[in-house]
Amino acid sequence: MTSDKCKIRLGIVGCGAIGSRIALSVNKELKSKFMISALYDIDATKAKVLAGRFKTRVKVANNIDDLLRHSNLVVEAVNTPATLDIVSRSIKAGKTVLAMSIGRLLGNRSLFALVERSGATLLLPSGAVAGLDAIKAAALVRITSITLTSRKPPSGFLNNPYVQEKKLLSGAIKKDVVLFDGNVKDAVHLFPQNINVAAAVALAAGPRAKLCVRIIASPNLKCNTHEITLSGKFGQITTRSENTICPDNPKTSYLAVLSGIKTLQEFAMNVKVGT
Ligand SMILES: NC(=O)c1ccc[n+]([C@@H]2O[C@H](COP(=O)([O-])OP(=O)(O)OC[C@H]3O[C@@H](n4cnc5c(N)ncnc54)[C@H](O)[C@@H]3O)[C@@H](O)[C@H]2O)c1
């Protein structure tokens, strides 16, 4: 057993579905490498309740700076625009960061420049999609076309202001309705529900690839599906994931939680397979 002094001290920001599941899983499955050292949530009750689930003492931080003092790896799992600030402050403080809300980082050149300058490690999990490893490899020789098609049950879009304004889903629908077909920038702006998946694919494909995003409401679906097709000198690739919904948050795919845990495991082992 590794002594606590040699373990990576993990601080978790956001104790919702993903933050809590990562904390509990790491504490169980990866305890030889990590210790949960601090938790912070804007809703302090959530951090306290989660801290109460550990046998060892876990610091409930009063703010981000307090959490940073107690951690050397920060997991960002918040559901607000605060992501960018949390990630930047953690990097500036010399911490390794696992960022779950990838969509909030897309296009932020100054953050990526800061990561490069500082030599810090920013871990971006594959989240709710499959095949990012192959997309990154394909991008080395140019991707001539790439499309992400996300299908979700209509209920997943009912609160979307764009869908409401355009009356795209008025009444019960019997067959698939294409809600959006366009570029990634407009997709993440109009469909924040899709933001992380689209951003993960766009980052993997690189700035030269022109990612097309199609978002479809599908009345017969019980779960969210994401299909990626791409072609180029490397050949053709198609991937498809059918994601179980995370029981603690219907907006989050269980695969995304697992990808966060797997990324931490690989970081601790210093082994990277297909990321
Ligand atoms: N990479 C992916 O594929 C992927 C997939 C699903 C979700 N996500 C992202 O992960 C994030 C977390 O998802 P979740 O399902 O755990 O959400 P959640 O709503 O269950 O939990 C979010 C938590 O963050 C807390 N919070 C909000 N603002 C905060 C702040 N400024 N500081 C500290 N805590 C704050 C909330 O109180 C809440 O407890 C979301 O941004 C979501 O978009 C990424």
Side-chain angles (χ1 to χ4, degrees):
M1 174 77 76
T2 317
S3 93
D4 279 359
K5 280 191 182 153
C6 303
K7 291 183 186 176
I8 300 169
R9 290 178 300 135
L10 210 70
I12 300 204
V13 187
C15 303
I18 295 185
S20 299
R21 282 183 177 259
I22 287 183
L24 295 169
S25 170
V26 162
N27 190 53
K28 197 171 165 199
E29 320 286 344
L30 302 176
K31 61 179 180 226
S32 64
K33 300 281 181 186
F34 294 98
M35 59 184 284
I36 306 298
S37 58
L39 303 171
Y40 174 64
D41 196 293
I42 204 155
D43 177 348
T45 311
K46 287 191 172 182
K48 283 181 194 152
V49 168
L50 183 57
R53 297 182 69 179
F54 295 93
K55 284 193 184 126
T56 51
R57 193 176 168 275
V58 175
K59 165 88 183 161
V60 175
N62 297 319
N63 50 46
I64 297 290
D65 291 331
D66 194 18
L67 177 126
L68 291 174
R69 277 194 290 277
H70 290 84
S71 329
N72 37 36
L73 193 158
V74 175
V75 174
E76 172 283 323
V78 304
N79 56 356
T80 62
T83 295
L84 188 58
D85 179 54
I86 293 163
V87 173
S88 310
R89 283 165 69 176
S90 305
I91 297 279
K92 282 180 190 156
K95 313 296 174 185
T96 296
V97 181
L98 169 72
M100 290 305 304
S101 311
I102 300 180
R104 306 272 184 194
L105 308 180
L106 185 68
N108 195 295
R109 288 197 192 152
S110 55
L111 173 74
F112 289 101
L114 171 68
V115 173
E116 208 174 329
R117 249 192 347 264
S118 64
T121 301
L122 174 59
L123 303 167
L124 301 175
S126 54
V129 279
L132 296 189
D133 52 344
I135 296 175
K136 286 182 209 167
L140 290 175
V141 290
R142 200 167 114 74
I143 295 169
T144 47
S145 75
I146 175 163
T147 303
L148 164 70
T149 305
S150 294
R151 287 186 174 79
K152 295 185 180 186
S155 57
F157 298 106
L158 292 182
N159 295 329
N160 179 296
Y162 174 75
V163 171
Q164 286 173 345
E165 188 197 316
K166 300 274 176 195
K167 297 189 172 40
L168 297 175
L169 288 177
S170 41
I173 58 164
K174 293 212 167 70
K175 46 184 192 175
D176 284 6
V177 174
V178 178
L179 302 178
F180 177 85
D181 193 344
N183 67 40
V184 65
K185 197 168 161 225
D186 294 341
V188 298
H189 175 60
L190 297 173
F191 289 86
Q193 303 97 321
N194 237 50
I195 195 168
N196 293 301
V197 165
V201 177
L203 283 170
R208 284 191 306 160
K210 299 280 171 266
L211 174 63
C212 299
V213 179
R214 299 185 84 215
I215 297 174
I216 297 174
S218 195
N220 300 319
L221 274 186
K222 295 274 177 283
C223 60
N224 301 340
T225 72
H226 303 288
E227 259 173 43
I228 308 166
T229 56
L230 59 154
S231 58
K233 236 181 182 176
F234 53 88
Q236 290 196 355
I237 299 170
T238 301
T239 77
R240 177 182 160 86
S241 43
E242 293 185 18
N243 293 338
T244 306
I245 286 165
C246 179
D248 319 323
N249 182 355
K251 288 186 189 154
T252 287
S253 295
Y254 184 45
L255 185 65
V257 182
L258 297 174
S259 82
I261 297 166
K262 186 66 194 165
T263 304
L264 288 175
Q265 187 190 50
E266 288 182 354
F267 174 76
M269 309 282 290
N270 208 10
V271 175
K272 293 182 180 58
V273 184
T275 53

